[in-house]
């Protein structure tokens, strides 16, 4: 092939496109957290508003009764042939948060106000990550974020999935603010008992539950012999975090591949045309 047939155009164009795409993706990945932080700041607070925790001293009798009921429930649920059932009202749930070490992180951040109209009404002071910033001396990692606090009331219901009791959020009320629709997509399912999965008291019990429902003003947890234990997370329950971003980045990658393919094809056609013209020129020269 002659020197004129070898064109660096396609290779240089693809390289330029690749660099531009890389710069765009890096810039987009840096811009996205700041954009999300700006939206979150519209309905969150910089300082927490801790919620009260029930006193085990003043509620000693109720706490002792709850402990006995829970131990009985644990005993029943260990017998595979026996039906196990426990009913908990709002006070029982708040006492459980105050009593069990595995639920310590829920203290001052979750307070069950009531159970009504087939809904758990819970006041929250939920910590979120705020605007990213460079870590200061003594902080872990090169980049961190100052906390923001979501203070409001959620309305939800219990849900069993993947051997775990989770809270499905149906509605979130924040006084004086409107919650972004995109945020609710990620906040719709709260794994508030995730850290309890490995707890020796709560974890094994939660893993054997087959029913979690609301009945009147009570949360009912049960294990019915013969009922399957939920072990699969449905797609509609846990929405994939950043799914829209992943879709966007995937689309950008597809566009890049199409552009690169087009440039390669055009470059190949040009090289083929030049090769043909060169061969025709060589033939004319030999005839002369």
């Amino acid at each position: 092939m002659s020197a004129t047939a070898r064109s660096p155009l396609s290779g240089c164009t693809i390289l330029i496109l690749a660099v531009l795409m890389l710069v765009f993706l890096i810039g987009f990945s840096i811009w996205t957290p700041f954009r999300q932080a700006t939206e979150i700041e519209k309905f969150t607070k910089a300082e927490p508003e801790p919620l009260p925790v029930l006193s085990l001293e003043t509620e000693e009798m109720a706490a002792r009764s709850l402990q006995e009921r829970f131990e009985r429930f644990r005993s029943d649920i260990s017998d595979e042939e026996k039906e196990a059932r426990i009913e908990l009202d709002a006070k029982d749930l708040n006492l459980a948060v105050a009593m069990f070490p595995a639920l310590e992180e829920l203290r001052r951040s979750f307070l069950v106000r009531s159970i009504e109209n087939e809904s758990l009404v819970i006041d929250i002071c939920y910590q979120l990550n705020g605007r990213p910033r460079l870590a200061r001396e003594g902080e872990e990692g090169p980049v961190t974020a100052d906390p923001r606090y979501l203070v409001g009331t959620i309305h939800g219901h219990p849900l069993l999935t993947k051997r775990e009791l989770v809270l499905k959020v149906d509605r979130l009320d924040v006084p004086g603010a409107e919650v972004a629709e995109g945020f609710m997509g990620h906040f719709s399912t709260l794994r508030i008992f995730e850290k309890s999965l490995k707890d020796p008291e709560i974890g094994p019990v939660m893993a054997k539950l087959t029913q979690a429902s609301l009945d009147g003003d009570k949360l009912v947890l049960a294990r019915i012999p013969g009922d399957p234990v939920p072990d699969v997370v449905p797609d509609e329950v846990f929405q994939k975090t950043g799914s829209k971003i992943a879709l966007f980045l995937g689309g950008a990658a597809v566009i890049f591949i199409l552009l690169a393919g087009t440039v390669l094809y055009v470059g190949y056609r040009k090289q083929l045309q030049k090769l043909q013209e060169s061969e025709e020129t060589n033939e004319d020269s030999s005839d002369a």
Side-chain angles (χ1 to χ4, degrees):
M1 185 181 297
S2 65
T4 58
R6 300 191 187 95
S7 172
L9 176 63
S10 61
C12 290
T13 304
I14 292 174
L15 179 60
I16 293 172
L17 286 174
V19 172
L20 291 176
M21 183 64 69
L22 180 61
V23 171
F24 170 75
L25 293 178
I26 293 175
F28 182 79
S29 63
I30 294 175
W31 171 76
T32 298
F34 286 93
R35 177 180 176 275
Q36 292 176 341
T38 300
E39 292 298 318
I40 288 176
E41 287 172 359
K42 294 178 180 179
F43 55 87
T44 58
K45 298 184 178 182
E47 298 297 330
E49 295 183 6
L51 296 166
V53 179
L54 286 188
S55 171
L56 297 181
E57 294 181 358
T58 57
E59 299 291 345
E60 182 179 358
M61 294 296 295
R64 186 179 304 171
S65 172
L66 177 61
Q67 183 68 45
E68 291 175 355
R69 289 158 55 204
F70 181 74
E71 290 300 331
R72 187 162 54 249
F73 180 63
R74 276 212 307 168
S75 176
D76 291 343
I77 210 169
S78 63
D79 186 348
E80 299 294 335
E81 303 299 325
K82 191 174 183 180
E83 178 177 334
R85 177 185 176 96
I86 188 171
E87 297 183 355
L88 304 168
D89 59 20
K91 184 177 180 179
D92 291 331
L93 295 175
N94 292 326
L95 273 175
V97 170
M99 286 173 52
F100 295 108
L103 305 180
E104 183 176 3
E105 69 171 358
L106 298 180
R107 295 170 193 169
R108 299 194 177 281
S109 60
F110 281 80
L111 181 68
V112 181
R113 184 191 299 178
S114 63
I115 303 176
E116 56 187 28
N117 300 324
E118 299 184 353
S119 181
L120 281 160
V121 183
I122 306 174
D123 293 330
I124 62 169
C125 178
Y126 194 81
Q127 181 175 326
L128 302 170
N129 288 328
R131 191 175 297 274
R133 61 170 174 79
L134 295 177
R136 303 187 183 98
E137 185 178 355
E139 295 178 334
E140 295 183 0
V143 179
T144 185
D146 292 320
R148 299 288 299 184
Y149 298 91
L150 178 61
V151 179
T153 303
I154 57 178
H155 299 253
H157 61 274
L159 193 67
L160 280 178
T161 180
K162 204 175 182 180
R163 300 177 180 269
E164 181 182 352
L165 179 63
V166 301
L167 178 63
K168 189 72 171 65
V169 179
D170 302 316
R171 194 177 90 214
L172 170 61
D173 297 329
V174 177
E178 183 177 349
V179 181
E181 184 178 350
F183 175 80
M184 284 303 300
H186 303 302
F187 198 72
S188 61
T189 303
L190 296 181
R191 301 181 65 187
I192 57 177
F193 298 114
E194 182 179 7
K195 291 188 177 180
S196 302
L197 292 173
K198 297 181 180 180
D199 181 78
E201 285 188 325
I202 298 178
V205 172
M206 191 161 51
K208 293 183 179 181
L209 293 175
T210 61
Q211 291 184 10
S213 60
L214 299 177
D215 184 9
D217 63 346
K218 298 214 173 31
L219 166 66
V220 180
L221 304 177
R223 197 283 311 280
I224 308 299
D227 282 0
V229 177
D231 194 35
V232 179
V233 182
D235 292 337
E236 64 271 15
V237 174
F238 287 117
Q239 300 186 14
K240 297 180 180 180
T241 302
S243 59
K244 292 184 179 180
I245 296 177
L247 182 62
F248 178 82
L249 295 179
V254 171
I255 292 174
F256 170 71
I257 293 173
L258 291 176
L259 287 175
T262 301
V263 172
L264 283 174
Y265 177 74
V266 171
Y268 170 77
R269 294 288 297 177
K270 286 185 176 182
Q271 290 183 4
L272 182 61
Q273 184 178 1
K274 288 182 179 181
L275 181 60
Q276 291 173 347
E277 291 175 354
S278 177
E279 290 176 349
E280 290 176 358
T281 303
N282 293 334
E283 289 177 359
D284 292 342
S285 299
S286 61
D287 291 342

